[in-house]
Amino acid sequence: YKWLEATSLHWLAGNYKSVKQRTQAKKNYEKALAIAEEIKDPYATQRNLVELAKHNSFVGQKTSALNYLSRVLEASNAPETSLRQKYRN
């Protein structure tokens, strides 16, 4: 059920973001990312990294945003990444 928790946290973060509660959104994206990495879910990992990159860019933390994007690119090149995920990337 970890996958469901990570997905729920991601959706919750999106809801917080839509009502401009960016700090709470970031916390939920970070929790979702931690779970996604724990269960080794490349899609969930990448989507949370992208959201964190967008958040950091929005608040002016450009270096942090680039670090998140770098992690997305590294994850997309992992040998265990499925063909379906590579196509999405």
Side-chain angles (χ1 to χ4, degrees), residues 4-86:
L4 182 58
E5 183 180 6
T7 300
S8 297
L9 286 167
H10 179 83
W11 290 342
L12 185 60
N15 289 329
Y16 278 122
K17 181 179 161 185
S18 70
V19 294
K20 310 280 190 263
Q21 293 185 18
R22 297 196 178 278
T23 301
Q24 197 62 36
K26 182 180 179 184
K27 288 178 184 178
N28 281 280
Y29 283 129
E30 289 170 339
K31 289 178 189 176
L33 174 61
I35 294 169
E37 289 176 332
E38 176 187 337
I39 63 174
K40 298 179 181 9
D41 182 336
Y43 174 67
T45 298
Q46 290 177 33
R47 73 181 179 175
N48 286 296
L49 286 169
V50 167
E51 290 301 328
L52 286 164
K54 291 190 316 189
H55 169 80
N56 281 300
S57 179
F58 180 81
V59 298
Q61 298 175 346
K62 304 299 183 186
T63 301
S64 183
L66 289 173
N67 287 335
Y68 280 121
L69 290 175
S70 175
R71 289 176 61 190
V72 171
L73 293 173
E74 289 171 9
S76 70
N77 278 334
E80 65 273 7
T81 303
S82 70
L83 287 176
R84 178 176 180 231
Q85 186 59 38
K86 287 182 180 184

